[in-house]
Amino acid sequence: MSSIGEVKRITDDSPKFREVLFARGYLFTDAEIDGNAFPFYGEWRTEKICGYSLLVHPKAKYYALQTEDSSLVLIGHAYNPFDGLYDENEILRKYADSEDKIGYFNQWTGVFTLIVVKAVGIEVWGDCAGMQCTYYGTIEKHFYLSSHAQLIGDLCNLTQSAYVRKLTHYRFWQMYGLFLPGDISQFDDVFRLVPNHVLNVAVPKFSCKLTRFYPNCDISVVKNEWEYDETIVEIGRLLHKNMELIANKWDKPAISMTGGMDSKTTVACANGLYDKFDFYSYISMYGDRPDAEAAEKIAAAIGVTHHTYTISENDGDFEDVSAMRAVMEHNLGDIGAVNANDVRKRLFFLNTPDFDVEVKSWVSEIGRANYYKKFGLKKMPTRLSPRQMTSMYKFFTYNRTDANATDKIFRQYIEKTAFHSIFPAICICGNSATAAGEV
């Protein structure tokens, strides 16, 4: 794992890695920030918003709107398949004018953070799936909001919590990915904003409170197969509208194809718009080849041009592999090693400007079957206990101390996010009704 000293040396000596460091990130704070120092190097765009400093990575986009009673900033990108808007400035204006702001906000999709600054405090909203990471914390009486917890840590000289240090040295830590449980970060006083919650920050002490805003009522359920079929048709229409808006919004959108369900969902939703997208796959290790070959067959069947990028599996074919690995691991919080092929892949695509956005489906990412299969169950439990969350998170075989510590994290997460107050939904599939548990 890297260190701030190593990463600073790399970015001091090699300006090309400054673009990779906290890529597409942002910082919003009331603290005094030197935008010319590490990690910004004078390259991040800086703006004052109601006395707060906003710094945005040169590859990220942001949009600001001033109203009579608030200042709005949207960082990232958003579009709305319900009203067909894909210009963020228009979306912000309509949001500001809307009487039902939450209702309108719930129509958006994309990868973004919305900051609303009012006289009484700050509201922070994230995209529906938490694709844009948002971390926050009050440190030495100053409020920090950022896309990267490590950016806050670097600025405030924070050290990893004892729990995270111990967890990341656990022998099975790397299994199931480099993600920390609940809403914690690697630092005691920095937390992640979870989906479907708004963060309210009261001034002047910058006390933070989470409030769940979706779902806030019983979810309507289908009563028969006809309503079920109509719902599926409406979902398909909205997903197709998303693809239409993406094609209008970006000059060179591309769909990364595999033989998997997510990829095929994205391609199916683009039906009728294939001339507006590029289609590609990559082979960065032996295991990628079957997916790339399946993608080629799918592309041939639907009559689109498909390109496969072949990325060497030899580190020696790339310059600066160790430097790229150090920066990538620092971006993630120095909590584990990134895969070797991911480092080579990042170096390969760093100078391959063949497309400006990659389109992927989130449909299958919401509730994977492998979660409840770990319990040997046919469906998810209606309510998850802290221990069940721990069991789904990591294997703590013969490690009761770490299991109990992680139970505590999830217990706090359940209370903080009002997890057990989520209204249950009933899904009707065919002639059988099953309760859908939360994940």
Side-chain angles (χ1 to χ4, degrees):
M1 291 184 285
S2 63
S3 68
I4 183 173
E6 179 186 6
V7 171
K8 186 177 185 303
R9 177 187 58 77
I10 291 169
T11 51
D12 282 350
D13 296 342
S14 303
K16 66 180 180 181
F17 286 107
R18 298 174 188 173
E19 179 182 312
V20 181
L21 180 62
F22 303 131
R24 299 184 185 276
Y26 69 88
L27 173 72
F28 181 83
T29 181
D30 70 302
E32 289 295 326
I33 300 295
D34 184 356
N36 293 313
F38 174 91
F40 310 110
Y41 294 101
E43 297 175 4
W44 288 40
R45 287 164 292 162
T46 304
E47 186 169 336
K48 284 291 185 180
I49 308 288
C50 297
Y52 299 91
S53 294
L54 174 68
L55 293 91
V56 181
H57 186 277
K59 285 294 183 73
K61 293 184 177 181
Y62 73 96
Y63 311 85
L65 175 66
Q66 180 68 50
T67 69
E68 291 183 0
D69 61 354
S70 61
S71 295
L72 291 76
V73 181
L74 191 152
I75 306 165
H77 66 261
Y79 44 100
N80 186 342
F82 290 87
D83 63 11
L85 292 181
Y86 60 88
D87 182 289
E88 285 82 0
N89 292 304
E90 294 180 15
I91 290 172
L92 278 180
R93 171 53 62 186
K94 189 168 180 179
Y95 172 85
D97 294 340
S98 176
E99 292 184 5
D100 180 12
K101 287 182 170 54
I102 294 179
Y104 184 63
F105 177 82
N106 280 336
Q107 295 178 0
W108 303 2
T109 188
V111 181
F112 62 84
T113 301
L114 173 64
I115 305 170
V116 182
V117 183
K118 300 180 179 181
V120 295
I122 306 166
E123 296 174 357
V124 185
W125 309 73
D127 63 67
C128 63
M131 296 292 287
Q132 166 73 320
C133 286
T134 300
Y135 292 92
Y136 65 93
T138 301
I139 301 162
E140 295 184 353
K141 299 182 180 180
H142 291 293
F143 176 68
Y144 294 86
L145 183 77
S146 179
S147 52
H148 295 77
Q150 190 61 50
L151 192 158
I152 300 174
D154 289 352
L155 293 174
C156 300
N157 297 314
L158 303 180
T159 58
Q160 290 187 0
S161 68
Y163 167 78
V164 169
R165 286 198 303 273
K166 190 171 187 298
L167 181 68
T168 55
H169 284 85
Y170 174 51
R171 61 183 296 190
F172 297 124
W173 159 244
Q174 296 268 151
M175 294 182 66
Y176 292 100
L178 302 179
F179 300 99
L180 296 171
D183 66 338
I184 70 168
S185 76
Q186 63 270 36
F187 308 116
D188 281 329
D189 297 322
V190 180
F191 301 92
R192 179 174 57 88
L193 177 63
V194 296
N196 303 321
H197 290 76
V198 57
L199 172 68
N200 293 104
V201 185
V203 293
K205 294 185 177 181
F206 299 116
S207 58
C208 298
K209 178 184 178 183
L210 282 181
T211 304
R212 178 179 292 278
F213 66 86
Y214 181 85
N216 58 5
C217 62
D218 286 327
I219 299 173
S220 298
V221 298
V222 295
K223 301 179 180 62
N224 51 53
E225 287 196 46
W226 181 85
E227 288 188 2
Y228 175 81
D229 291 340
E230 288 295 301
T231 301
I232 297 301
V233 169
E234 177 66 3
I235 291 171
R237 185 190 69 80
L238 290 171
L239 292 176
H240 180 74
K241 186 64 176 180
N242 278 341
M243 300 303 291
E244 180 183 320
L245 297 179
I246 290 169
N248 291 332
K249 189 173 180 63
W250 281 277
D251 294 329
K252 297 186 295 182
I255 297 175
S256 59
M257 295 181 63
T258 68
M261 186 61 67
D262 296 337
S263 168
K264 289 186 288 189
T265 299
T266 306
V267 173
C269 292
N271 189 13
L273 303 167
Y274 291 152
D275 60 321
K276 300 181 182 297
F277 291 88
D278 289 331
F279 300 84
Y280 78 97
S281 301
Y282 56 79
I283 300 174
S284 64
M285 59 180 182
Y286 178 79
D288 292 337
R289 187 170 297 279
D291 269 331
E293 292 174 349
E296 290 174 359
K297 294 179 181 179
I298 295 170
I302 62 177
V304 301
T305 301
H306 173 269
H307 179 71
T308 298
Y309 297 95
T310 301
I311 303 169
S312 173
E313 294 187 56
N314 182 8
D315 282 358
D317 291 334
F318 298 88
E319 294 182 355
D320 303 315
V321 168
S322 61
M324 176 62 82
R325 178 179 292 109
V327 175
M328 289 177 65
E329 289 179 355
H330 193 67
N331 287 349
L332 291 172
D334 291 326
I335 57 175
V338 296
N339 294 330
N341 70 303
D342 285 337
V343 177
R344 295 189 294 266
K345 186 167 53 178
R346 184 65 181 270
L347 283 166
F348 179 88
F349 283 110
L350 192 61
N351 298 307
T352 308
D354 293 346
F355 47 86
D356 50 16
V357 68
E358 176 191 9
V359 188
K360 301 186 75 172
S361 167
W362 301 344
V363 172
S364 299
E365 303 294 348
I366 303 303
R368 291 285 193 180
N370 64 342
Y371 283 115
Y372 60 82
K373 285 181 179 178
K374 289 174 71 172
F375 297 107
L377 303 175
K378 295 182 179 180
K379 61 182 181 180
M380 288 289 291
T382 302
R383 291 287 182 261
L384 294 175
S385 68
R387 174 48 54 92
Q388 287 172 325
M389 288 185 172
T390 296
S391 299
M392 289 193 295
Y393 172 64
K394 296 285 183 185
F395 288 113
F396 289 107
T397 307
Y398 308 116
N399 192 336
R400 307 307 300 172
T401 301
D402 284 357
N404 290 333
T406 305
D407 288 349
K408 181 180 178 181
I409 297 293
F410 280 119
R411 188 174 298 109
Q412 294 170 343
Y413 173 77
I414 288 171
E415 295 173 357
K416 188 175 183 180
T417 61
F419 189 84
H420 283 166
S421 68
I422 300 175
F423 294 87
I426 303 297
C427 302
I428 293 182
C429 304
N431 294 320
S432 63
T434 57
E438 315 86 75
V439 179

